[in-house]
Amino acid sequence: MPFQLESNYKPRGDQAQAIDKLTKSLQAGNRHQTLLGVTGSGKTFTMANVIRELERPTLVVSHNKTLAAQLYSEVRQLFASNAVE
């Protein structure tokens, strides 16, 4: 089943460029990426767009349980039709 991103948002500002660059870099074989941004800048949405573009399972790692729970909730909403565990 393809990744179905469910959101009323569209990439804004630098997000479209970041999605394109991250996607191309991963397709070129670069396994590790870093996405920087301030709180509320749309990093999770950007990451979700990259996941949708690449159509590959993704492991998201967090440095604490609170952030992990927040990311889980946001990613589950963005990919409501897909398995998010």
Side-chain angles (χ1 to χ4, degrees):
M1 172 181 221
F3 287 89
Q4 297 174 338
L5 182 59
E6 298 179 21
S7 175
N8 293 327
Y9 297 112
K10 301 286 184 222
R12 298 182 63 186
D14 292 339
Q15 286 179 323
Q17 182 181 7
I19 293 165
D20 185 54
K21 284 184 175 183
L22 289 167
T23 301
K24 286 180 180 175
S25 180
L26 288 163
Q27 288 171 333
N30 297 314
R31 295 178 47 124
H32 305 284
Q33 302 295 309
T34 302
L35 177 61
L36 300 174
V38 299
T39 301
S41 64
K43 294 179 298 294
T44 304
F45 181 66
T46 299
M47 176 188 68
N49 276 277
V50 172
I51 293 168
R52 186 201 60 200
E53 290 289 323
L54 294 173
E55 289 283 329
R56 64 169 93 146
T58 304
L59 174 65
V60 179
V61 179
S62 171
H63 67 283
N64 66 51
K65 291 188 283 187
T66 303
L67 180 57
Q70 179 183 342
L71 286 168
Y72 169 77
S73 175
E74 291 175 6
V75 173
R76 186 166 171 94
Q77 287 176 349
L78 290 167
F79 290 112
S81 299
N82 299 102
V84 177
E85 301 176 12

